[in-house]
Amino acid sequence: MQLVYIHGLDSNANAAKGTQLKQFCAEYFPHINVVCPDLNVAPAEAIKRLQAIIADDPDTGLVGSSLGGFYATIVSNLTAKRAVLINPSTNVGESLKRFFPTILPAYLLIMSGTLRLMVGRLPKRRCNG
């Protein structure tokens, strides 16, 4: 089994949360491999890298922080993997400006539509308690 820790925008593969998760699992759940990829790339490339990591181990869970939470939501919908979001980014337009300085408004409309479609496809889950 593996957990993929997806860092935020100005972080990297050595993020404190990812490192802590890796140490915790090593000590208490040694059968869980924690993968912390460096995703300081354009969004499409980040999603592609995450899908490749997941393809290596079908028993994968996702943990996303900040912009990584946004990516985890997308990848979870694409792969049906479960995701835990830590303070997920809710202002993705600001976060992604550096990748799309001239086409950002059109891109955000596409992303917003994609997210609406994905949220509409999410299975309804009931919370116990």
Side-chain angles (χ1 to χ4, degrees):
M1 175 180 192
Q2 72 176 351
L3 287 177
V4 180
Y5 175 78
I6 308 168
H7 64 77
L9 184 63
D10 289 320
S11 191
N12 58 45
N14 299 315
K17 291 182 200 97
T19 301
Q20 290 171 347
L21 179 61
K22 196 178 270 193
Q23 291 169 346
F24 178 83
C25 286
E27 184 173 346
Y28 297 103
F29 301 96
H31 65 285
I32 299 175
N33 179 40
V34 178
V35 178
C36 302
D38 191 350
L39 299 172
N40 284 314
V41 294
E45 178 63 24
I47 300 299
K48 184 177 170 182
R49 287 182 186 183
L50 290 167
Q51 288 178 300
I53 292 167
I54 290 168
D56 289 341
D57 186 344
D59 193 14
T60 297
L62 307 168
V63 178
S65 176
S66 191
L67 185 62
F70 175 73
Y71 288 159
T73 301
I74 292 172
V75 173
S76 177
N77 271 285
L78 293 172
T79 63
K81 301 301 178 190
R82 291 183 182 224
V84 173
L85 310 180
I86 304 170
N87 193 25
S89 177
T90 57
N91 194 2
V92 178
E94 284 300 312
S95 300
L96 297 178
K97 270 186 183 176
R98 69 177 70 173
F99 297 108
F100 306 99
T102 58
I103 62 167
L104 186 61
Y107 179 78
L108 288 179
L109 285 174
I110 292 166
M111 289 301 291
S112 296
T114 301
L115 287 177
R116 273 198 298 277
L117 288 173
M118 288 193 303
V119 170
R121 291 191 327 230
L122 290 176
K124 296 192 185 322
R125 295 186 183 153
R126 295 177 58 184
C127 295
N128 295 328

